[in-house]
């Protein structure tokens, strides 16, 4: 998945031996992202059980119900589906979304994907859950992420062992404070301080799952 200087997304798909150029096909102008910020505007993930691919992006739209867009590429098709939309229900107006990040449930029977994104308009951090057919279970992680300097102060990953929970981290408006939320059919949230109360803003977060346990 690429974004050009024209703010259009292009999707490249490899079918077979990816070292052979002819095995790659491209869908140009898959979608157009909003242009008011310089943050990364899109992400891609595959459902584990089906192999269907989802692209989520910060869509170039002024509609109050079109805060993010997504398209699906079925594992049995070479054509992307139509553009569909995600509404940030914490805001009644259009929002500019940054840093959309996806993580798939690693269970072999799961179609579940978690999305987390930063609403630059309202300084919100929100998460959604893909059920295999729709986005739901929106969770507002913080409504005042004002200490992040609009950087990628969020991350999402699934545990590889144990209960296989989804974990989301998001910086808040308090220096050094991070919200941690877990998804296991429902949301539970907590928080922790990364620097003992020192006045240092969290701007970038990376989260990785240990491959053989529930540790991160």
């Amino acid at each position: 998945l690429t974004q050009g200087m024209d703010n259009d997304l292009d999707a490249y798909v490899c079918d077979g031996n990816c070292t052979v150029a002819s095995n790659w096909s491209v869908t140009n102008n898959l979608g157009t992202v909003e242009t008011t910020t310089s943050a990364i505007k899109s992400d891609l993930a595959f459902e584990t059980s089906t192999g269907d691919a989802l692209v989520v992006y910060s869509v170039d739209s002024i509609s109050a119900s079109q805060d993010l867009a997504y398209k699906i590429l079925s594992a049995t098709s070479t054509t992307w589906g139509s553009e569909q939309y995600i509404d940030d229900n914490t805001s009644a107006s259009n929002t500019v979304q940054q840093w959309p990040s996806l993580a798939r449930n690693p269970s072999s029977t799961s179609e579940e994907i978690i999305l987390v994104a930063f609403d630059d308009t309202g300084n919100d951090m929100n998460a959604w859950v893909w059920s295999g057919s729709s986005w739901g279970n929106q969770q507002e992680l913080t409504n005042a992420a004002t200490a992040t300097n609009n950087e990628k102060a969020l991350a999402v990953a699934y545990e590889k062992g144990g209960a296989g929970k989804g974990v989301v981290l998001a910086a808040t408006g308090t220096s050094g404070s991070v919200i941690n939320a877990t998804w296991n059919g429902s949301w539970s949230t907590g928080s922790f301080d990364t620097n003992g109360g020192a006045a240092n803003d969290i701007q970038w977060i990376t989260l990785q799952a240990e491959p053989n346990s529930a540790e991160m």
Side-chain angles (χ1 to χ4, degrees):
L1 183 66
T2 66
Q3 177 187 325
M5 293 181 65
D6 58 1
N7 295 302
D8 285 336
L9 299 175
D10 298 328
Y12 296 81
V13 177
C14 170
D15 182 13
N17 182 356
C18 296
T19 63
V20 178
S22 60
N23 286 339
W24 287 89
S25 61
V26 60
T27 301
N28 291 311
N29 304 325
L30 182 71
T32 302
V33 300
E34 66 84 24
T35 60
T36 61
T37 68
S38 60
I40 290 175
K41 313 290 180 58
S42 62
D43 200 12
L44 166 70
F46 287 86
E47 294 176 351
T48 304
S49 66
T50 66
D52 293 350
L54 273 76
V55 166
V56 176
Y57 50 99
S58 305
V59 65
D60 185 22
S61 171
I62 60 173
S63 170
S65 61
Q66 297 178 0
D67 298 308
L68 289 155
Y70 67 98
K71 287 188 174 182
I72 302 170
L73 178 64
S74 168
T76 60
S77 175
T78 58
T79 303
W80 289 86
S82 61
E83 185 172 83
Q84 302 179 72
Y85 303 101
I86 303 170
D87 181 26
D88 178 356
N89 63 28
T90 67
S91 174
S93 59
N94 181 251
T95 61
V96 174
Q97 301 285 333
Q98 298 185 25
W99 309 110
S101 300
L102 298 169
R104 69 181 181 189
N105 188 319
S107 169
S108 62
T109 61
S110 179
E111 299 175 61
E112 191 175 87
I113 295 172
I114 294 177
L115 161 67
V116 60
F118 171 57
D119 166 18
D120 180 59
T121 306
N123 289 309
D124 292 349
M125 301 274 195
N126 291 287
W128 294 262
V129 181
W130 174 253
S131 66
S133 59
S134 63
W135 291 99
N137 293 289
Q138 182 176 349
Q139 175 72 20
E140 185 179 64
L141 304 165
T142 174
N143 61 5
T146 55
T148 67
N149 196 35
N150 295 341
E151 308 294 9
K152 189 182 180 295
L154 51 81
V156 57
Y158 274 88
E159 296 174 351
K160 297 296 177 63
K165 296 187 293 290
V167 178
V168 176
L169 301 181
T172 73
T174 301
S175 294
S177 176
V178 174
I179 295 292
N180 63 291
T182 59
W183 168 259
N184 194 21
S186 61
W187 287 104
S188 59
T189 60
S191 64
F192 60 92
D193 183 7
T194 62
N195 54 19
N200 294 311
D201 297 343
I202 299 299
Q203 297 185 359
W204 302 90
I205 297 177
T206 300
L207 179 66
Q208 294 290 336
E210 203 276 339
N212 299 310
S213 75
E215 294 181 351
M216 292 193 175

